Structure formats: C-alpha cells, structure tokens
C-alpha cells in the first residue's frame, strides 16, 4: 500500500502518518523530516536547504525530487510507504509518474486556516526522531520531554507566526491545485475532516482504507 497524505501545514499529516506506519508497517517518508535532517550538516547544500525551510518556501524541485526518489527506492519502502509532504506541486506529482511510482490512494486532510495556527503554535517536536506533540491536544507524559528518550522537546523554527503565514500562502498557491489533479486521476481519493480530535481522524482514515 503506497499512500499520499495531503493537507495544509499543521493539518496532522505527520501525526496520522505515525499511526499508519505502526498499524500497517509502512515506511514513513516525510520530506520535511528528510530536509530538516539534511539542514543540520555543514555543507553548502545544507545551508541552501536551511534558507528555504526558515523562510517557509518550498525547496526547489531539483533538490527534493532526487532525494525522494532515492528514499522510496530504499528497502524499507518495498512493502509500502506513506508520503507525508510530497508531492507539493504539480511537477513533483508528475515526477512520481515519471519514476513509475505506483500510488494506491491519496488522503486529503481538510482543515481551516484558523485551526492550523493554534496547532502549529502548540506543537513541540523531538528533533532526532521527528516525534511530534501538542501542548494541549497531545502532551508528552513529562512536560517538555520526549516520551521515549526523555530528551528535550523544542519548537520548530518554521512554527513562528510570520513563517506559518508564508507556508500557508505557499500551500494555497502550489499545493492546493493537486487536489483537482488527484480528484481527476485514476488514483483513489479520500477527503477527511481533519479538524476532529486525533483518534476520530485516525478512525476515519482507517475506514477509508478498509
Ligand atoms: P513539513 O515538515 O512537511 O511541514 P508541513 O507540510 O508544513 O506540515 P507540518 O509538519 O507543519 O504539519 P503536519 O500536517 O505534519 O501536522 P502535525 O501532525 O505535525 O515541511 C516543512 C518545510 O520543508 C516546508 O515548508 C518546505 O520548506 C520543506 N519541504 C517539505 N517537503 C517539501 C517538498 N516536497 N518540496 C519542497 N519543499 C518541501 O500536527 C501539527 C500539530 O497539531 C502537532 O502539534 C499535533 O500534535 C497537533 N495535531 C495533529 N492532529 C491533531 C488533531 N486532530 N487535533 C488536535 N491537534 C492535532
């Protein structure tokens, strides 16, 4: 089963991908996580990637497409994968076809702009693993600490109000057109109300997959 999770920044793609990964033993491929990882090193490419992440703009297609295609050709993706954060524009969607990547279903997490601001401002992450929490909706067992490692949780640099605004703008301009693209394609498409509590969103996704 190869899935795409689509949705506005903060819609809950990463949260739901974590559930689906555990439930179906799928590889969880988050381009945001891959890029954050790349950005930590001290190379010219890392510096370039960091500039895009910090400004809320999309990393250029020529960088991300190659990374993604390489990632989904890794062994753990052979039994199926979840794409969280890819594709984000038409060129990226077409690149999946070009690379003969089969997609079984697209799940679109629908949410309003008002809602995502509160979700992202309350988000705390464990940088090393990418595990994500929310101070109200999904708090860690110990305040400010990752449940598994006990390490410090931090706020993502791109969860600042001015960067959130930019990311939303980019979403509407570049990513939203993908909804029409996939609705008109042969690929199964489900729209899920992502404003509901996490468990309800998960059960709606599982229903769509059954
Ligand atoms: P990326 O990391 O992909 O960020 P995003 O798409 O903006 O999505 P988020 O990770 O912010 O949100 P999410 O939908 O995963 O929500 P989450 O589950 O965490 O991308 C970051 C950057 O990388 C981009 O801006 C771009 O620069 C670059 N990039 C990435 N992919 C790229 C690509 N393909 N091409 C070019 N550039 C690319 O949930 C959010 C919060 O809400 C959490 O705190 C969570 O606990 C909480 N929450 C989740 N669900 C619920 C719920 N149902 N009820 C209440 N709270 C909830």
């Amino acid at each position: 089963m190869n899935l795409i999770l689509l949705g506005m920044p903060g819609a809950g793609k990463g949260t739901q991908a974590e559930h689906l990964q555990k439930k179906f033993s799928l590889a969880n491929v988050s381009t945001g996580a891959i890029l954050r990882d790349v950005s930590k090193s001290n190379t010219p490419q890392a510096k370039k990637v960091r500039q895009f992440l910090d400004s809320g703009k999309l990393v250029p297609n020529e960088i991300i497409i190659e990374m993604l295609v390489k990632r989904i050709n890794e062994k753990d993706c052979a039994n199926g994968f979840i794409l969280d954060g890819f594709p984000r524009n038409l060129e990226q969607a077409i690149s999946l076809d070009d690379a003969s990547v089969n997609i079984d279903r697209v799940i679109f997490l629908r949410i309003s702009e008002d809602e995502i601001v509160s979700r992202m401002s309350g988000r705390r992450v464990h940088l090393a693993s990418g595990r994500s929490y929310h101070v109200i909706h999904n708090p860690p067992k110990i305040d400010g600490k990752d449940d598994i490692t006990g390490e410090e949780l931090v706020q993502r640099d791109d969860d600042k109000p001015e960067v959130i605004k930019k990311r939303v703008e980019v979403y509407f301009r570049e990513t939203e057109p993908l909804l029409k693209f996939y609705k008109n394609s042969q690929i199964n498409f489900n729209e899920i109300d992502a404003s509901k509590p996490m468990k309800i969103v998960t059960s709606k996704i599982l229903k769509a997959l059954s």
Side-chain angles (χ1 to χ4, degrees):
M1 180 160 64
N2 296 337
L3 300 176
I4 289 177
L5 293 182
L6 272 184
M8 233 189 252
K13 303 182 293 298
T15 303
Q16 296 303 328
E18 224 177 291
H19 287 295
L20 296 174
Q21 173 187 26
K22 285 185 198 142
K23 172 109 186 144
F24 298 109
S25 302
L26 299 171
N28 185 352
V29 179
S30 156
T31 42
I34 294 172
L35 290 165
R36 279 186 288 279
D37 215 36
V38 167
S39 76
K40 283 182 209 152
S41 61
N42 208 3
T43 61
Q45 191 191 41
K47 196 175 163 205
K48 190 171 173 193
V49 165
R50 240 183 343 261
Q51 282 167 355
F52 286 98
L53 294 181
D54 291 350
S55 64
K57 292 183 191 154
L58 293 185
V59 168
N61 288 336
E62 60 269 23
I63 297 181
I64 189 68
I65 290 174
E66 197 190 326
M67 278 180 190
L68 190 274
V69 172
K70 193 167 154 227
R71 175 66 187 93
I72 55 182
N73 278 308
E74 284 174 18
K75 212 167 152 195
D76 65 321
C77 290
N79 289 329
F81 54 77
I82 308 154
L83 293 186
D84 159 12
F86 191 99
R88 266 184 141 95
N89 56 31
L90 279 174
E91 191 180 335
Q92 292 183 12
I94 291 164
S95 78
L96 290 173
D97 285 343
D98 293 346
S100 305
V101 177
N102 177 53
I103 299 295
D104 300 299
R105 188 173 292 275
V106 173
I107 293 177
F108 168 51
L109 299 179
R110 180 170 41 81
I111 194 157
S112 72
E113 229 177 297
D114 291 346
E115 191 103 21
I116 58 149
V117 175
S118 100
R119 285 196 183 179
M120 286 192 277
S121 48
R123 170 165 48 195
R124 299 292 180 271
V125 291
H126 177 240
L127 278 184
S129 66
R131 272 184 291 280
S132 161
Y133 301 83
H134 190 281
V135 288
I136 296 166
H137 305 301
N138 183 26
K141 288 178 190 139
I142 300 169
D143 192 28
K145 306 277 182 204
D146 177 47
D147 286 352
I148 311 286
T149 62
E151 287 166 353
E152 210 64 34
L153 299 177
V154 297
Q155 219 171 352
R156 262 169 53 175
D157 284 341
D158 61 350
D159 279 347
K160 293 178 196 138
E162 64 279 15
V163 188
I164 292 177
K165 196 165 168 259
K166 182 72 197 170
R167 287 161 64 200
V168 171
E169 243 175 73
V170 170
Y171 168 81
F172 281 116
R173 193 176 61 240
E174 306 229 16
T175 310
E176 211 193 37
L178 289 180
L179 300 183
K180 198 170 166 201
F181 175 83
Y182 281 119
K183 279 181 187 169
N184 290 335
S185 77
Q186 301 296 315
I187 300 173
N188 297 307
F189 183 94
N190 295 95
E191 182 168 319
I192 306 280
D193 179 358
S195 66
K196 301 278 185 247
M198 284 174 206
K199 283 190 178 150
I200 295 182
V201 178
T202 307
S203 71
K204 283 174 187 282
I205 295 176
L206 294 179
K207 200 170 164 206
L209 293 176
S210 64

